[in-house]
Amino acid sequence: MNRISIIGAGIGGLTAALALHDVGAHVTVYEQAKHLTDEGAGIQIAPNASRILCHLGLRHVLAADAVAASTSAYRHYRTGAVLKINDPSESVRRTGFPYWRIHRADLQRALVSALARRAPDALHLGWQVLAVETGSDNVSLVFSNGQRVTSDLVVAADGIRSTVRSMLFARDTPHFEGYVAWRGLVPMADLPERLRTMGGASFGGGRFIVNYAVRRGELMNFVAIARHETWEEEGWRIPSRLAELQEAFTDFHDDVQELIGHTPPDRLFKWGIFGRPRLPSWVQGRASLLGDAAHPMLPYLAQGGAMAIEDAMLLARAVANGDGHVSALQRWETARMPRVNRVSDASAAMAAMFHTDVDAYDPSRDVSAGRLPDLATFDALTAPI
């Protein structure tokens, strides 16, 4: 049986643990946080990712907490005029799988529960990795608690500030991409009726805001992004003053102003958007990066989490092939890298589109549809590896 250690209990790490367990691997997940808390905001799960989560047995539990995506609109930031209608039903119809919008903590909780049912002792909290030692026959992890663990494979899914990435590859550091984001959660009951069904994005003047319902429709989630020259604060859960966000979006249309104005002070946070240089390889011997640790991307296609979920499923399929651990990682990387790079490039193109002159916006040139027709319909269960 393959012994696989996974670093990080985020969306990618937990999905990888489930997928690898289901193909017969003995998996252990090591998370440096001592507690998994109800943090974060919304995440969109297009059919390319929901297909995988359904395959892993999570359809019903996620459907109970998620909100099925419905028609939404791009709007002009000042006037509120509709520039384009987005309808996710076509990808749902083509694939047979849902397009969900869900609170990140609800998704993480479902993944943790599923792993606990399959492998009750697999998740270890409060384990901080200090070193990764790769060998020809195995790979060892050294932890801050003095423990040493030996595995056949190590998968590092420890996020954009991955410590394992720095251990395995050049010590590149995350670089500020020139954008600051705010995220807020507004109780739906506090909003007037006309705003409860308002979903979509407004953009222009170098800024962008997207909103949609999560947690069974009980919360309205929004993310607002603006250009910013510098950023020095650490973390993605930095409290923000409401007046700061209102000032940044002061010339947006009335619906946006009213939504922002209803944000509870304790549910508004900000963070700088960071990237890392594109690596020529995510694999070193018997260790590999996964998700944001390998390929962070801008959030404009809402596909960062989906790429980590796809990573996890294709990795499990490569390992299940049984032609050797190192070969499995190499075949997985070869299969994944072209698609991940295309999605990353398209996300960057979307950022450029949203942060340039809105009056020049041409729906027919929208890169989300034009460059990636298989964005939401990609099938990680059957794609060649």
Side-chain angles (χ1 to χ4, degrees):
M1 177 181 290
N2 295 311
R3 299 167 300 154
I4 301 178
S5 293
I6 298 170
I7 308 301
I11 304 307
L14 291 169
T15 305
L18 287 174
L20 287 162
H21 175 275
D22 285 0
V23 297
H26 181 276
V27 295
T28 309
V29 180
Y30 299 99
E31 166 59 48
Q32 69 174 355
K34 295 181 180 179
H35 306 282
L36 299 180
T37 58
D38 189 26
E39 295 182 355
I43 181 172
Q44 300 197 57
I45 305 295
N48 56 308
S50 70
R51 178 196 302 271
I52 296 164
L53 297 173
C54 291
H55 175 77
L56 294 173
L58 296 175
R59 179 189 286 267
H60 297 298
V61 66
L62 292 179
D65 284 327
V67 175
S70 58
T71 300
S72 61
Y74 289 163
R75 297 180 181 272
H76 191 285
Y77 76 111
R78 280 189 291 102
T79 67
V82 173
L83 304 173
K84 178 187 175 184
I85 296 295
N86 297 303
D87 186 357
S89 63
E90 175 61 18
S91 63
V92 173
R93 184 192 63 78
R94 289 178 61 189
T95 65
F97 292 94
Y99 195 127
W100 284 319
R101 290 164 176 156
I102 190 169
H103 194 296
R104 186 178 294 269
D106 294 339
L107 174 55
Q108 185 182 46
R109 188 181 304 113
L111 291 166
V112 168
S113 296
L115 183 61
R117 290 192 297 271
R118 288 165 163 85
D121 300 320
L123 178 59
H124 294 249
L125 301 178
W127 284 57
Q128 181 182 11
V129 63
L130 298 180
V132 181
E133 300 171 356
T134 60
S136 59
D137 297 325
N138 54 51
V139 55
S140 295
L141 297 172
V142 180
F143 293 92
S144 60
N145 58 11
Q147 297 294 314
R148 176 185 289 268
V149 173
T150 300
S151 308
D152 295 311
L153 291 176
V154 164
V155 178
D158 52 341
I160 188 171
R161 297 189 178 275
S162 169
T163 57
V164 177
R165 175 175 171 138
S166 298
M167 296 170 190
L168 295 178
F169 301 99
R171 292 185 175 273
D172 61 332
T173 57
H175 58 266
F176 181 54
E177 295 277 7
Y179 303 100
V180 171
W182 290 263
R183 57 182 172 87
L185 289 167
V186 182
M188 198 69 77
D190 292 349
L191 293 174
E193 186 64 34
R194 67 182 177 81
L195 294 185
R196 296 181 188 182
T197 57
M198 182 190 80
S202 298
F203 66 98
R207 290 148 299 161
F208 166 85
I209 182 169
V210 61
N211 67 281
Y212 49 86
V214 297
R215 192 160 282 173
R216 302 171 297 279
E218 297 167 10
L219 295 171
M220 181 68 81
N221 168 83
F222 71 81
V223 177
I225 304 177
R227 288 194 180 277
H228 206 277
E229 290 187 4
T230 60
W231 183 263
E232 296 180 357
E233 297 183 76
E234 289 286 341
W236 70 286
R237 198 174 187 274
I238 303 165
S240 176
R241 294 179 298 107
L242 182 59
E244 180 184 17
L245 175 58
Q246 289 174 319
E247 182 180 357
F249 286 78
T250 186
D251 53 348
F252 271 59
H253 59 85
D254 289 346
D255 285 350
V256 169
Q257 297 296 330
E258 191 164 1
L259 173 62
I260 290 174
H262 278 87
T263 310
D266 62 341
R267 291 192 174 187
L268 181 63
F269 301 92
K270 63 180 179 179
W271 74 100
I273 295 178
F274 282 75
R276 299 188 84 155
R278 185 171 288 178
L279 290 172
S281 176
W282 308 326
V283 175
Q284 186 177 110
R286 291 171 173 262
S288 179
L289 308 176
L290 182 145
D292 281 351
H295 45 73
M297 63 184 62
L298 292 171
Y300 293 88
L301 281 178
Q303 281 284 321
M307 290 300 102
I309 292 169
E310 285 185 11
D311 282 353
M313 178 51 63
L314 273 89
L315 177 61
R317 290 179 54 212
V319 169
N321 189 268
D323 61 348
H325 301 98
V326 174
S327 176
L329 291 182
Q330 291 172 342
R331 287 191 299 104
W332 167 77
E333 179 185 75
T334 299
R336 286 301 293 151
M337 194 168 280
R339 173 164 168 82
V340 167
N341 288 346
R342 283 198 306 132
V343 175
S344 181
D345 290 344
S347 296
M350 285 288 282
M353 182 189 79
F354 282 132
H355 290 280
T356 52
D357 183 7
V358 64
D359 295 313
Y361 172 70
D362 180 355
S364 68
R365 297 174 62 85
D366 189 323
V367 297
S368 62
R371 293 192 183 187
L372 293 169
D374 66 336
L375 180 67
T377 57
F378 177 81
D379 186 355
L381 304 179
T382 60
I385 52 174

